[in-house]
Amino acid sequence: MKRPLLLAALLLVLAACSGHTVHRVEVDFLSFVPQANRSGPLDLTTAQVRVPDDPAGQLVQVPGAEALLDGRVVAKAEVRNTGTLPAQVDLEVRMAPQNDTDLYDGTGGDLEAKKVSLSLNPGETGTLDLSLDLAPGNPAFDLVKSGAFRIGARLSLSGEKVDYTLTQGEVSLRLKLFNLIPTP
C-alpha cells in the first residue's frame, strides 16, 4: 500500500516540476558557413563579408516562440591588421522579419541588433566580441518572439588590409513551453 502512494506522490511532484521547466534552444549559426568562408582577408577591394553570403540572411523558425523568456546572440571574430595604415573593423548582427529580402538595406523592418568596433594599428591583433541579450522591450526580442525571423552578420573594414577569422556565432533561446497551455 505504501508503494503505490509513494509512486503517486512522486508522479505529482514530477508533474508540478514540469510546469516550471525552462527549455534551452541553441543554434550554432557559424556551422552553416562553409569552412573556407570563415577566414580570409578584407582589403580595399573586398571591404566587407556577410554571414551568410545571401543578403536576406538566414531564416530561423522557432516553433512555440510565444513562450520565449529571453535569449542571447554571440558572435566573435579574430582580426589582424596586415596593412601599413591604421584600420577600423566593425562586426554587426542584423535581424529582420521573415519576409525581408535584404537585411542590410534599412527597409522592410530590418534592424541593426548590435554592433561592435575595433581600431588596430599595423601589426596589431584583436578580438571583436559581440554579445546581444534578447529581453522583453528589445526590438530583436520581438522579432524572435514572432516565431520566424532572419539573422545575419557583417564584418566591415575601414582601412587598408586585415585578416579575419570568424570564431563563434551562436543564438541561444530560453523558452518556457508550459506558457503555451492556456489557463482557464
Side-chain angles (χ1 to χ4, degrees):
M1 184 73 168
K2 283 186 174 183
R3 182 166 268 186
L5 285 175
L6 183 61
L7 185 58
L10 180 61
L11 287 174
L12 285 173
V13 168
L14 287 175
C17 290
S18 65
H20 298 286
T21 301
V22 174
H23 298 274
R24 185 177 173 106
V25 177
E26 294 182 8
V27 177
D28 178 5
F29 65 82
L30 199 55
S31 67
F32 297 107
V33 178
Q35 191 68 35
N37 296 0
R38 293 185 195 177
S39 61
L42 291 176
D43 53 32
L44 296 174
T45 58
T46 307
Q48 69 176 351
V49 63
R50 295 177 182 170
V51 178
D53 229 359
D54 183 355
Q58 178 66 47
L59 178 63
V60 179
Q61 295 181 332
V62 184
E66 58 270 18
L68 181 66
L69 294 176
D70 57 31
R72 177 177 227 122
V73 177
V74 177
K76 281 188 185 180
E78 301 289 332
V79 290
R80 183 170 199 277
N81 186 344
T82 55
T84 58
L85 300 172
Q88 178 173 317
V89 186
D90 301 323
L91 176 61
E92 70 178 308
V93 169
R94 298 199 53 95
M95 298 175 73
Q98 68 177 334
N99 58 352
D100 193 349
T101 58
D102 190 345
L103 289 178
Y104 305 95
D105 66 357
T107 64
D110 58 74
L111 59 98
E112 178 185 284
K114 180 101 183 229
K115 181 178 181 176
V116 294
S117 299
L118 180 65
S119 295
L120 298 170
N121 288 318
E124 282 186 330
T125 300
T127 301
L128 287 158
D129 192 353
L130 182 146
S131 180
L132 168 66
D133 290 327
L134 300 172
N138 179 322
F141 176 87
D142 296 337
L143 280 172
V144 174
K145 196 162 179 136
S146 73
F149 64 96
R150 295 191 172 277
I151 188 167
R154 176 169 55 185
L155 189 65
S156 307
L157 168 69
S158 180
E160 184 185 9
K161 185 175 181 181
V162 297
D163 287 339
Y164 71 90
T165 301
L166 302 172
T167 58
Q168 188 176 14
E170 298 173 0
V171 176
S172 60
L173 305 173
R174 288 183 345 119
L175 299 105
K176 189 170 182 181
L177 297 180
F178 278 86
N179 285 351
L180 297 174
I181 299 172
T183 54

